[in-house]
């Protein structure tokens, strides 16, 4: 009987693993398709191209740095450096970039499984992976070539290494692991400064492993902090020495969209953050809240002695608080929060099985199974009717430019880097760049212009210093009401008539380039 149960349990575990492998494989289906329209995130039309523009230019045989344009690789060099290596093998392209993000997801999943397995049985680790792979939000955003999948991967590796450090290890091994944790935290900081909100989870695991010896704790934390501080300081010195300091400063000024100035504004900001947590994590957030509340009871208080539970709580609260403090509610910032919630819930389920009566455990199994089934159905439904409107728009623009040799081939567009990533069409950015747009227009002399829905008044004023706009076509690009179509224009001399210009009427400050110091030409 015992052998039969063991065989049945082993078969169930393998079936579970195969199911997870199938869910992971589904991530590769329709990689070039449009982002699901049920979520609104402007970054899916621009950010992949922006943060990979250095790697894309390098792969296309162009200089990775474009003076005066938007060069985020100066501030966040790790992701474009990794992508440049991958593009050397695969060639540039949106599918190659997103496939690379999914390779990083695979590494993340393995690290999460190993990390949870150190604190709980194998089935708990598989449950955590189930929540991660089944989540519709994580399914949609982990398929994008944003920076967050790489940052999540580095975080998972750092947490796993920190959890391996032990006072019983030889000093050489312990110092080596600690130095590796510091190096990973430095890489995370060079990947994106958002990493600062992830540090507490890693440092808590390190502290918990060495807490019996305060001297070792202090020495290890000093080493980690020294590696991060010295490494980042040397990188900043290199930036200054190579003349990129103005681009470095510009990146942070351009990304500052302001914060609430009144108590009412902050309360509204918190309300938005709570709403975002609901639509990004849904019932997973509810289950996590229930887990944290029940952990305060006598039966479940054992969870607080689990370092991974506390570290995951630090991760969930820290990343959510970062969004609140920054007051910029980009959905992809919640990637870390959702993963942390998945670990919290899985550890909570394990504790409930061990600490609560069987009738409660049975109810919990039903709730968890129903939630996972609901998540899987929603995730799979995202693949049922894919659209390729943005890819088709990029191909159409590239084709029009290629078949009109009378015009200059350079494209000016906010989404230009995204189009370059998709098709190789050379481009510069209209609203982001370290120099006034009219200066870059004079330097680059583009022949084409594309914009979402309407033309920014600031952009039009800069364009009118050298060109008039003649509309060529209107291309559908997304289900987002604010970016439903892409208006495509030919840039012609001011002596020619201007046609089809739709001017944006909004108080939103979209134009992020420095102001021009010279008056416009008449």
């Amino acid at each position: 009987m015992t052998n039969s149960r063991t065989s049945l349990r082993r078969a169930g575990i393998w079936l579970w693993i195969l199911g997870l492998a199938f869910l992971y494989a589904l991530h590769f289906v329709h990689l070039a398709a449009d982002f699901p329209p049920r979520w609104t995130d402007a970054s899916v039309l621009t950010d992949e191209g922006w943060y990979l523009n250095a790697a894309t230019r390098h792969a296309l045989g162009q200089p990775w740095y474009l003076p005066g344009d938007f060069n985020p690789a100066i501030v966040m060099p790790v992701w474009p450096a990794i992508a440049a290596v991958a593009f050397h093998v695969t060639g540039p392209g949106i599918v190659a970039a997103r496939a690379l993000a999914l390779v990083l997801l695979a590494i993340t999943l393995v690290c999460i499984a190993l990390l949870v397995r150190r604190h709980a049985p194998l089935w708990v680790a598989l449950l955590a992976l189930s929540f991660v792979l089944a989540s519709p939000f994580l399914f949609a955003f982990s398929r994008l070539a944003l920076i967050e999948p790489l940052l999540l991967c580095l975080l998972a590796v750092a947490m796993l290494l920190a959890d391996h450090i032990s006072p019983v290890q030889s000093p050489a091994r312990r110092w080596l692991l600690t130095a590796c944790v510091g190096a990973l935290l430095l890489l995370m900081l060079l990947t994106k400064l958002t990493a600062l909100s992830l540090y507490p989870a890693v440092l808590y695991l390190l502290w918990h492993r060495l807490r019996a010896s305060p001297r070792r704790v202090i020495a290890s934390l000093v080493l980690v902090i020294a590696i991060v501080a010295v490494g980042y300081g040397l990188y900043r010195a290199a930036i200054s020495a190579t003349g990129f300091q103005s681009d470095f400063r510009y990146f942070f000024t351009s990304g500052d969209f302001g914060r609430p100035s009144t108590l009412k504004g902050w309360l509204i900001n918190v309300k938005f953050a709570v709403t975002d947590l609901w639509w990004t994590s849904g019932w997973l957030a509810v289950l996590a809240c229930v887990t944290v509340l029940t952990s305060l009871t006598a039966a479940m208080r054992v969870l607080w002695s689990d370092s991974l539970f506390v570290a995951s709580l630090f991760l969930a609260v820290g990343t959510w608080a970062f969004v609140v403090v920054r007051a910029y509610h980009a959905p992809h910032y919640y990637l870390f929060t959702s993963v942390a919630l998945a670990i919290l819930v899985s550890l909570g389920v394990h504790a409930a099985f061990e600490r609560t009566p069987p009738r409660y455990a049975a109810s919990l199994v039903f709730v968890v199974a129903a939630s996972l089934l609901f998540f899987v159905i929603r995730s799979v439904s995202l693949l049922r009717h894919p659209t390729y409107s943005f890819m088709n728009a990029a191909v159409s623009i590239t084709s029009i430019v290629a078949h009109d040799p009378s015009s200059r081939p350079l494209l000016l567009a906010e989404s230009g880097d995204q189009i370059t990533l998709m098709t190789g069409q050379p481009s510069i950015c209209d609203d982001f760049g370290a120099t006034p747009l009219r200066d870059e227009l004079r330097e680059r002399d583009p022949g084409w212009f594309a914009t979402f829905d309407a033309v920014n008044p600031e952009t039009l004023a800069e364009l009118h210093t050298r060109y008039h706009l003649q509309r060529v076509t209107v291309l559908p690009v997304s289900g987002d009401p604010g970016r439903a179509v892409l208006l495509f224009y030919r840039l012609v001399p001011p002596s020619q008539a201007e046609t089809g210009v739709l001017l944006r009427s909004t108080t939103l400050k979209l134009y992020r380039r420095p102001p021009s110091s010279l008056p416009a030409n008449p």
Side-chain angles (χ1 to χ4, degrees):
M1 180 65 71
T2 302
N3 290 338
S4 176
R5 287 181 178 177
T6 301
S7 299
L8 189 61
R9 187 181 301 113
R10 188 175 299 156
I13 289 293
W14 277 110
L15 284 175
W16 197 347
I17 293 173
L18 288 175
L20 293 176
F22 176 72
L23 282 177
Y24 172 72
L26 286 180
H27 286 63
F28 288 87
V29 179
H30 303 305
L31 269 187
D34 297 332
F35 187 77
R38 74 176 52 168
W39 287 299
T40 301
D41 189 350
S43 67
V44 302
L45 299 176
T46 54
D47 285 24
E48 293 172 296
W50 278 346
Y51 298 126
L52 286 177
N53 61 16
T56 305
R57 292 168 187 159
H58 179 74
L60 293 173
Q62 304 166 4
W64 69 270
Y65 174 72
L66 197 59
D69 206 65
F70 190 41
N71 294 283
I74 293 172
V75 180
M76 302 177 291
V78 179
W79 176 227
I82 294 175
V85 175
F87 288 168
H88 182 73
V89 177
T90 65
I94 193 69
V95 172
R98 291 177 177 176
L100 177 60
L102 291 179
V103 171
L104 296 172
L105 174 63
I107 299 173
T108 304
L109 294 172
V110 171
C111 290
I112 291 174
L114 294 175
L115 183 61
V116 176
R117 183 66 183 88
R118 289 176 53 82
H119 295 257
L122 176 59
W123 68 266
V124 182
L126 296 180
L127 180 61
L129 296 188
S130 300
F131 279 119
V132 172
L133 286 170
S135 165
F137 169 75
L138 291 174
F139 183 88
F141 277 88
S142 63
R143 288 159 43 89
L144 298 177
L146 300 172
I147 292 181
E148 280 67 24
L150 171 60
L151 194 53
L152 180 62
C153 179
L154 293 173
L155 171 67
V157 177
M159 291 179 70
L160 182 61
L161 285 182
D163 200 52
H164 270 83
I165 295 173
S166 170
V168 300
Q169 293 168 338
S170 66
R173 179 177 175 81
R174 188 172 63 252
W175 287 119
L176 177 61
L177 288 175
T178 304
C180 288
V181 171
L184 283 166
L185 293 183
L186 174 60
L187 280 176
M188 289 167 61
L189 194 62
L190 292 174
T191 299
K192 197 171 187 180
L193 286 182
T194 308
L196 290 172
S197 66
L198 312 179
Y199 279 14
V202 180
L203 296 179
Y204 178 82
L205 287 175
L206 178 62
W207 170 84
H208 191 272
R209 295 291 294 173
L210 301 175
R211 69 191 185 283
S213 174
R215 182 176 59 84
R216 289 195 182 104
V217 170
I218 294 173
S220 297
L221 290 179
V222 167
L223 176 61
V224 168
I225 294 171
I227 290 174
V228 174
V230 172
Y232 196 73
L234 290 174
Y235 182 75
R236 285 294 305 271
I239 290 295
S240 298
T242 50
F244 294 139
Q245 186 64 22
S246 60
D247 294 87
F248 193 95
R249 288 195 302 266
Y250 167 77
F251 180 86
F252 294 104
T253 57
S254 67
D256 185 5
F257 289 88
R259 293 173 179 81
S261 57
T262 63
L263 177 60
K264 180 180 179 181
W266 279 108
L267 291 176
I268 294 174
N269 176 48
V270 172
K271 175 187 174 183
F272 283 155
V274 172
T275 304
D276 288 344
L277 187 63
W278 165 250
W279 73 257
T280 56
S281 300
W283 289 106
L284 183 60
V286 175
L287 291 174
C289 289
V290 171
T291 299
V292 173
L293 290 175
T294 56
S295 71
L296 302 177
T297 64
M300 297 284 285
R301 203 168 295 155
V302 67
L303 282 170
W304 290 94
S305 63
D306 187 338
S307 60
L308 182 57
F309 178 84
V310 179
S312 299
L313 189 59
F314 272 129
L315 182 58
V317 175
T319 53
W320 182 81
F322 170 81
V323 175
V324 173
V325 171
R326 191 180 179 201
Y328 182 62
H329 299 270
H332 53 273
Y333 287 164
Y334 290 88
L335 235 66
F336 315 101
T337 308
S338 294
V339 172
L341 296 180
I343 297 175
L344 280 174
V345 172
S346 301
L347 294 175
V349 170
H350 176 231
F353 275 10
E354 291 190 335
R355 297 279 177 162
T356 60
R359 64 179 181 277
Y360 294 138
S363 301
L364 187 59
V365 168
F366 175 77
V367 171
V368 170
S371 299
L372 284 174
L373 179 61
F374 176 68
F375 291 163
V376 170
I377 291 173
R378 287 192 63 193
S379 295
V380 173
S381 68
L382 299 178
L383 300 174
R384 291 185 59 191
H385 304 291
T387 59
Y388 289 82
S389 58
F390 195 25
M391 174 61 79
N392 293 337
V395 172
S396 295
I397 286 174
T398 303
S399 177
I400 292 172
V401 172
H403 288 85
D404 188 351
S406 62
S407 294
R408 301 168 303 283
L410 185 63
L411 171 69
L412 173 71
E414 177 188 13
S415 58
D417 287 324
Q418 189 83 357
I419 294 172
T420 303
L421 179 62
M422 288 178 164
T423 66
Q425 167 63 43
S427 68
I428 56 176
C429 186
D430 63 328
D431 61 343
F432 280 84
T435 62
L437 180 57
R438 69 180 63 185
D439 294 346
E440 190 161 10
L441 295 178
R442 184 169 55 249
E443 178 70 22
R444 311 289 173 198
D445 196 20
W448 306 86
F449 173 63
T451 185
F452 293 107
D453 289 350
V455 183
N456 290 339
E458 300 94 334
T459 305
L460 186 62
E462 299 292 273
L463 287 170
H464 276 171
T465 62
R466 293 182 63 86
Y467 312 107
H468 273 175
L469 284 65
Q470 292 183 348
R471 189 195 293 178
V472 177
T473 186
V474 178
L475 301 162
V477 289
S478 78
D480 181 356
R483 296 173 181 239
V485 297
L486 197 62
L487 305 178
F488 186 47
Y489 296 92
R490 180 183 287 104
L491 298 178
V492 298
S495 59
Q496 297 188 28
E498 193 164 64
T499 61
V501 175
L502 297 178
L503 195 63
R504 189 182 301 276
S505 176
T506 178
T507 58
L508 180 64
K509 184 65 176 175
L510 296 171
Y511 187 76
R512 310 298 294 179
R513 281 183 177 266
S516 300
S517 58
L518 299 176
N521 293 337

